[in-house]
């Protein structure tokens, strides 16, 4: 690893990212595409475009030769990436000390790549460390990524457009860099761009219809369950989170057998919410984000109906849904597909004809633009759900010949694996759906279900507030709730039902969790949690700049709530000592400070409020000359009472004192400006006063008893005195 260095004096404004103040479920990571006028600083507060990041270059990939080999061997699924082996570690990056935190950074470059996905192995992030992956040119950001997003040291990132990916890891306190272990042994050299909002998308047929169009109205629950499945082995397929008869939120995904059989599903990516917010994109790029889950395991699959059922290795979160299904034997008409054709953003397709049961499959005609049909199916649609008029899944897309239906084509050779046949499959747990989706009551139908969630305040005080479980489960559940730790509450800490009225004890603070437990006969219990803060705000300050800035530097200080899911509102910034406020950014809890012409300590304080009250947090930053004379922090043990100028004498009386001390200057000009600071033994500024004459009075009534240092600045000349509060 490159040597720990101090960053340059040229700094930029950064702010606190919005999602550092919101909770993130374990295992899910957000991918964002920023609009041209959006700023990286809004999402990565320590981002600096002037930072020098070391680049590691990968061997050249002969894409044409690999695609020719695919053609020769008859590869069915189109590629999206080519797996490459590398050997990069922590030592290939650069560790820098930046203000009161550290950064580790590296850029992985693969020539001619259109996109890149990185796999981490044997990797450990220190406590409270946060990682982002990004590319400025393509406006992609993946993160925040934390230690709990790694599984046994392994994590695979979503694809990021561009021929390089920058990695940056934030350490919020010193000394944690020794706990960082990072290893990259493989990555995917992407051969496609993930276009999101431009006119031609990713090359799917132009008759396809976005789910944001009016044709998607009323299909929101079903749409939120659909995901794009990504891996270099398969290219892409489509799958859907699917409900079971216990409604227990088990993250089963139904897709096609040919998308999972014999393939490394533990390395798959499942991308949800990959859709356009616009029906007809105009070429402009609105902000977007989607959620990607890493890893799964096969629960059941059978080539007889071409179905595959996998289970995500991490639990899904609120904002997602679980599709319903119908296992009765039927001849459906007016069927609907929600899918990712050619890996494109999510589309909805409608077939107004009748799907004829033919053995284990439904055969149907699809004529885009005619007979009430709209949209079409393509490669990447494989595994997508087929819904009946009751909006329940009755099968999954298997394919046909040709597999891609052009917008001008009528094709009658399209097959969907029948859900009712897959229910019993080939008669074993590993080849049928029944044991996974209907083991408790074996129902004929299930309805779509939004993921339940909990509403309530992020901060609880002494006034009663209500926490409510929002739950539309089609399954009957008994609900109990409990709050931990209970000693923070004056209200009852447990009860039953979907609502809990809570209030805190006075003068307490801490993090608490309310847990709703849902139970029903024959089913495993479900637990849903919400963290909240009790008491006045709790936060810390970090500053972007050298550990000891120089005169004339600009330092940005940003506030980060502890814990991260607090809603932090900074109402006031104060700067005293050797600094002055240049500008503030209230929406992102940041302040820009100029180190004025003063050598010594600068004290920055932020005051935040919530329903429970206010709290002030301060940070001391030492300003040095940087002109060849390296001034360091004050060491009180080295200060003696005779360290004053021969011409100017500072007098302090009474000393010791229990209320006020007077400060006077002999031999000073009558109109000399005198700046007086009271410092704690560790150099923290306790008070700062400025006087336009050579006498002053310092109020010590609110200070604790003990030794302090009096710092007097007279026209740039610094004098120190020991003072004692009794």
């Amino acid at each position: 690893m490159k040597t720990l260095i101090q960053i340059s004096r040229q700094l930029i404004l950064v702010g606190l990212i919005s999602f550092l103040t919101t909770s993130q479920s374990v295992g899910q990571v957000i991918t964002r595409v920023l609009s041209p006028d959006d700023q990286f600083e809004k999402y990565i507060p320590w981002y600096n475009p002037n930072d020098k990041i070391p680049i590691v270059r990968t061997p050249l990939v002969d894409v044409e030769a690999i695609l020719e080999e695919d053609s020769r061997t008859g590869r069915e699924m189109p590629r999206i990436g080519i797996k490459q082996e590398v050997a990069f570690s922590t030592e290939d990056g650069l560790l820098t000390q930046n203000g009161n935190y550290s950064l580790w950074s590296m850029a992985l470059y693969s020539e001619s790549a259109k996109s890149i996905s990185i796999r981490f192995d044997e990797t450990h992030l220190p406590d409270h460390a946060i990682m982002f992956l990004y590319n400025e040119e393509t406006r992609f950001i993946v993160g925040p990524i934390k230690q709990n997003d790694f599984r046994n040291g392994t994590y695979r990132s979503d694809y990021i457009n561009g021929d390089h990916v920058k990695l940056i890891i934030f350490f919020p306190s010193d000394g944690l860099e020794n706990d960082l272990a990072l290893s990259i042994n493989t990555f995917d050299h992407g051969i496609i761009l993930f276009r999101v909002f431009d006119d031609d998308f990713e090359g799917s047929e132009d008759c396809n219809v976005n789910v944001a169009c009016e044709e998607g109205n009323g299909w929101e629950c079903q749409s939120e369950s659909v995901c794009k499945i990504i891996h270099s082995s398969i290219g892409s397929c489509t799958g859907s989170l699917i409900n079971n008869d216990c409604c227990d939120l088990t993250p089963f995904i139904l897709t096609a057998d040919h998308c999972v059989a014999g393939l490394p599903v533990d390395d798959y990516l499942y991308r949800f919410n990959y859709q356009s917010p616009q029906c007809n994109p105009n070429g402009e790029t609105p902000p977007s984000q989607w959620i990607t889950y890493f890893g799964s395991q096969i629960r059941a699959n059978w080539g007889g109906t071409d179905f595959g059922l996998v289970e995500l290795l991490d639990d899904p979160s609120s904002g997602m849904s679980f599709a319903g299904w119908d296992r009765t034997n039927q001849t459906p008409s007016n069927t609907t597909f929600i899918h990712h054709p050619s890996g494109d953003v999510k589309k909805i397709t409608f077939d107004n004809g009748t799907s004829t049961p033919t053995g284990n499959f439904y055969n149907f005609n699809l004529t885009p633009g005619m007979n009430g049909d709209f949209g079409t199916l393509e490669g990447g649609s494989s595994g997508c759900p087929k819904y009946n008029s009751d909006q329940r899944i009755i099968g999954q897309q298997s394919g046909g010949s040709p597999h891609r239906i052009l917008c001008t084509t009528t094709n009658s050779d399209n097959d969907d694996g029948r859900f009712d046949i897959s229910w019993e499959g080939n008669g074993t747990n590993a080849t049928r759906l029944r044991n996974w989706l209907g083991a408790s009551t074996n129902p004929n139908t299930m309805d779509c279900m939004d993921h339940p969630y909990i509403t309530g305040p992020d901060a609880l005080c002494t006034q009663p507030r209500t926490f409510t479980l929002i739950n539309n489960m089609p399954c009957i559940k008994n609900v109990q709730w409990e709050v931990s730790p209970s000693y923070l509450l004056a209200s009852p800490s447990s009860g039953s039902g979907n609502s809990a009225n809570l209030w805190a004890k006075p003068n307490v603070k801490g993090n608490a969790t309310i847990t709703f437990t849902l139970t029903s006969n024959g089913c495993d219990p479900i637990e849903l949690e919400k963290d909240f803060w009790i008491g006045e705000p709790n936060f810390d300050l970090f500053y972007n700049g050298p550990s000891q800035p120089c005169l004339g530097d600009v330092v940005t200080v940003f506030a980060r709530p502890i814990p991260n899911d607090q809603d932090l509102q900074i109402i006031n910034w104060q700067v005293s000592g050797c600094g002055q406020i240049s500008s503030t950014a209230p929406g992102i809890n940041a302040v820009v400070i100029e180190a004025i012409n003063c050598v010594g300590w600068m004290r920055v304080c932020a005051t935040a409020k919530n329903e429970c009250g206010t709290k002030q947090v301060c940070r001391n930053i030492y300003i040095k000359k940087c002109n060849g004379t390296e001034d360091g922090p004050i060491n009180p043990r080295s200060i003696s009472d005779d360290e004053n100028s021969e011409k100017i004498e500072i007098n302090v009386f009474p000393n010791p004192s229990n209320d006020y001390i007077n400060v006077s200057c002999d031999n000073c000009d009558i109109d000399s400006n005198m700046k007086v600071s009271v410092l704690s033994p560790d150099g923290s500024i306790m008070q700062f006063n400025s006087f336009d004459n050579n006498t002053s009075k310092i109020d010590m009534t609110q200070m604790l008893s003990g030794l302090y240092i009096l710092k007097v600045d007279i026209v740039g000349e610094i004098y120190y005195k020991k003072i004692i509060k009794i």
Side-chain angles (χ1 to χ4, degrees), residues 366-650:
L366 184 61
T367 308
M370 297 180 63
N371 304 321
D373 296 353
F374 61 82
T376 187
L377 300 171
E378 309 178 36
S381 301
S382 292
C384 76
K386 178 188 183 78
Y387 304 95
N388 62 14
S389 58
D390 294 322
Q391 299 185 316
R392 297 179 179 130
I393 293 176
I394 58 170
Q396 77 288 331
Q397 222 283 312
S398 176
S401 179
H403 188 57
R404 174 173 180 150
I405 308 173
L406 302 178
C407 289
T408 57
T409 300
T410 299
N411 195 293
S412 60
D413 188 18
N414 281 277
D415 297 321
D416 297 314
R418 291 171 54 182
F419 191 91
D420 61 310
I421 301 296
S422 302
W423 190 258
E424 293 296 342
N426 203 34
T428 67
N429 292 357
T431 60
R432 63 186 175 196
L433 295 174
R434 175 168 60 85
N435 295 79
W436 307 99
L437 305 183
S440 176
T441 59
N442 200 33
N444 286 326
T445 62
M446 287 294 297
D447 290 328
C448 188
M449 176 184 80
D450 291 325
H451 194 296
Y453 59 97
I454 302 170
T455 63
D458 292 322
L460 182 68
C461 314
T462 56
Q463 297 300 315
R465 296 295 301 273
T466 301
F467 293 78
T468 303
L469 173 67
I470 306 300
N471 175 23
N472 72 337
M473 287 184 174
C475 308
I476 298 175
K477 298 284 185 181
N478 297 314
V479 180
Q480 302 286 325
W481 57 265
E482 183 175 10
V483 179
S484 174
S486 60
Y487 63 81
L488 295 173
L489 298 181
S491 65
S493 60
S494 62
S496 61
N498 291 339
S499 294
N501 291 319
L502 306 177
W503 58 94
K505 293 178 179 178
N507 303 318
V508 298
K509 66 170 56 179
N511 196 37
T513 302
I514 183 170
T515 303
F516 284 86
T517 303
L518 291 71
T519 58
S520 57
N521 293 333
C523 298
D524 292 332
I526 305 168
E527 290 188 348
L528 297 169
E529 296 181 344
K530 176 179 173 58
D531 295 329
F532 57 95
W533 180 255
I534 291 179
E536 62 187 22
N538 195 43
F539 64 101
D540 200 359
L541 299 181
F542 296 91
Y543 62 93
N544 187 332
S547 57
Q548 291 185 8
C550 303
L551 290 175
D553 275 351
V554 175
V555 177
T556 301
V557 178
F558 56 91
R560 187 173 73 94
I562 305 172
N564 283 333
D565 54 1
Q566 279 188 84
D567 184 14
L568 186 66
Q569 181 184 0
I570 301 295
I571 60 173
N572 184 42
W573 288 96
Q574 293 179 323
V575 177
S576 60
C578 297
Q580 63 185 15
I581 295 177
S582 174
S583 63
T584 61
I588 50 178
N589 293 335
V591 63
V592 183
I593 302 167
E594 296 178 5
I596 60 177
N597 189 24
C598 169
V599 174
W601 289 97
M602 171 174 64
R603 186 170 178 84
V604 184
C605 297
T607 303
K609 74 172 184 179
N610 63 12
E611 296 181 15
C612 304
T614 61
K615 180 180 179 179
Q616 185 180 76
V617 174
C618 298
R619 173 68 63 181
N620 299 306
I621 305 172
Y622 190 79
I623 309 299
K624 60 182 180 179
K625 291 181 180 178
C626 298
N627 59 357
T629 303
E630 297 297 327
D631 291 338
I634 299 170
N635 182 355
R637 292 174 296 179
S638 68
I639 299 172
S640 61
D641 288 334
D642 59 358
E643 288 179 307
N644 300 321
S645 167
E646 294 179 358
K647 297 181 180 180
I648 295 178
E649 183 176 353
I650 304 299

Side-chain angles (χ1 to χ4, degrees), residues 56-344:
V56 295
R57 299 178 182 271
T58 66
L60 184 66
V61 181
D62 192 342
V63 175
E64 290 187 6
I66 293 173
L67 294 181
E68 288 177 2
E69 177 67 12
D70 288 347
S71 178
R72 186 185 65 80
T73 58
R75 178 186 172 98
E76 179 181 357
M77 305 297 290
R79 283 187 183 271
I80 61 173
I82 300 169
K83 182 179 180 180
Q84 297 293 293
E85 295 185 358
V86 291
F88 300 129
S89 68
T90 314
E91 301 300 318
D92 294 297
L94 176 67
L95 185 67
T96 60
Q97 179 69 43
N98 194 0
N100 61 333
Y101 60 88
S102 298
L103 295 175
W104 180 93
S105 59
M106 187 186 82
L108 185 149
Y109 172 78
S110 184
E111 184 176 345
S112 300
K114 294 184 178 180
S115 54
I116 292 175
S117 170
I118 298 176
R119 179 188 170 101
F120 298 86
D121 295 290
E122 300 178 354
T123 295
H124 179 269
L125 299 184
D127 291 340
H128 310 298
I130 301 171
M131 178 168 69
F132 284 91
L133 313 179
Y134 64 97
N135 182 305
E136 292 106 328
E137 288 80 8
T138 64
R139 315 292 292 168
F140 270 60
I141 300 178
V142 173
I145 304 168
K146 304 176 184 178
Q147 176 57 33
N148 58 13
D149 295 310
F150 287 78
R151 187 177 303 106
N152 297 322
T154 300
Y155 168 76
R156 175 181 285 279
S157 79
D158 200 348
Y159 281 78
I160 297 175
N161 277 358
D163 59 9
H164 69 276
V165 172
K166 292 182 178 179
L167 297 73
I168 190 166
I169 301 175
F170 167 86
F171 305 93
S173 59
D174 295 335
L176 293 176
E177 59 271 6
N178 296 326
D179 296 330
L180 173 65
L182 183 142
S183 176
I184 301 174
N185 294 324
T186 63
F187 77 98
D188 282 357
H189 175 101
I191 62 173
I192 70 166
L193 288 172
F194 289 93
R195 302 189 188 99
V196 185
F197 300 118
D198 57 359
D199 290 331
D200 57 1
F201 294 103
E202 290 184 39
S204 67
E205 289 291 305
D206 57 12
C207 63
N208 278 312
V209 179
N210 284 331
V211 293
C213 297
E214 63 179 355
E215 290 85 353
N217 292 344
W219 290 90
E220 290 80 8
C221 183
Q222 290 75 20
S223 178
E224 288 172 355
S225 73
V226 173
C227 65
K228 176 176 177 176
I229 305 174
I230 309 172
H231 194 269
S232 58
S233 297
I234 62 166
S236 67
C237 286
T238 302
S240 174
L241 273 174
I242 189 167
N243 207 357
N244 62 60
D245 65 338
C246 279
C247 304
D248 60 8
L249 307 183
T250 301
F252 291 129
I253 289 182
L254 180 68
T255 186
D257 175 65
H258 70 264
C259 293
V260 298
L263 295 169
V265 299
D266 61 327
D267 208 34
Y268 277 21
L269 297 173
Y270 297 85
R271 184 188 288 177
F272 290 84
N273 197 40
Y274 184 52
Q275 59 197 55
S276 172
Q278 301 171 325
C279 177
N280 297 305
N282 56 12
E284 297 180 357
T285 307
S288 176
Q289 68 180 48
W290 53 84
I291 297 173
T292 303
Y293 289 83
F294 163 61
S296 61
Q297 53 187 327
I298 295 179
R299 290 307 190 190
N301 62 301
W302 184 43
T305 55
D306 195 23
F307 91 84
L309 186 72
V310 301
E311 182 179 347
L312 297 180
L313 297 180
D314 294 297
D315 293 332
S317 63
S318 59
M320 303 171 71
S321 63
F322 298 79
W325 42 264
D326 188 331
R327 71 177 184 90
T328 60
N329 184 1
Q330 57 181 277
T331 301
S333 59
N334 302 327
T335 55
T336 303
F337 303 86
I338 300 178
H339 56 120
H340 290 279
S342 294
D344 209 339

